[in-house]
Amino acid sequence: MRLKDEQISKLAERVLEALTASGLITLKTERGKILDGIRKAVADDVKGEEDLEREAERLLEQTLRSMGGGAGIDRHKMLKMIKDRLAKEKGIVL
Amino acid sequence: MSISEDRISHLAHRIYDRLWKDDLADFPDERQSLACIKETITAFFSVAEEVDAIVRKKLASYAQAKVPGSREYEILYHKFHQEEMAKRKW
């Protein structure tokens, strides 16, 4: 899941609008700070996944090198396997 | 841009926890508030996925198809993506 800052901001606005319209939130500070809080929550999570992806790619390259290049290996499938394993180890939800 | 149900639920909890723990907001009904956040995230990704497919198809149909990953492709992708999202009022 890749989200640009602009998309994160849009999502934050929609979440706040939906909660407000349904009367499911009581704001304890100004709207801007609430939006910041939502944006940070999403951005931190997205960053966690991006870091995981980078680590998985690094491990994949390392593994392929140790296999002499890994000809015939399904790179995409292997990357997914590594990513899933890392996510499980680190308790990250993908 | 696909996203699993688990990830949607996880994101909803992250948002809820951030607002609540940082004392930015109160929620009269935790279950309903979380459901509302989940619905919004689901709708967002549903529209984003639909728009992504439309924009990619549009770019591929160009007489001089742009190369995915090139700067020109990215600029046009962004432009068309914004237009399609605006059409859907997102």
Side-chain angles (χ1 to χ4, degrees), chain A residues 56-93:
Chain A
E57 274 163 19
R58 191 181 54 78
L59 283 171
L60 174 67
E61 293 306 327
Q62 214 173 59
T63 310
L64 292 178
R65 267 201 305 275
S66 72
M67 293 165 73
I73 297 276
D74 185 335
R75 197 188 155 88
H76 182 73
K77 199 171 169 185
M78 196 156 177
L79 181 65
K80 191 181 179 316
M81 277 168 56
I82 295 174
K83 204 174 148 182
D84 287 346
R85 196 195 72 213
L86 282 176
K88 202 171 174 183
E89 282 170 13
K90 294 171 186 282
I92 292 175
V93 179

Side-chain angles (χ1 to χ4, degrees), chain A residues 14 26 28 44-45 49, chain B residues 7 18 23 26 82 89:
Chain A
R14 283 298 174 120
T26 307
K28 295 176 83 175
D44 286 354
D45 205 69
E49 186 181 354
Chain B
R7 187 75 194 273
R18 174 73 65 125
D23 203 26
D26 272 339
Q82 279 189 321
K89 303 201 184 304

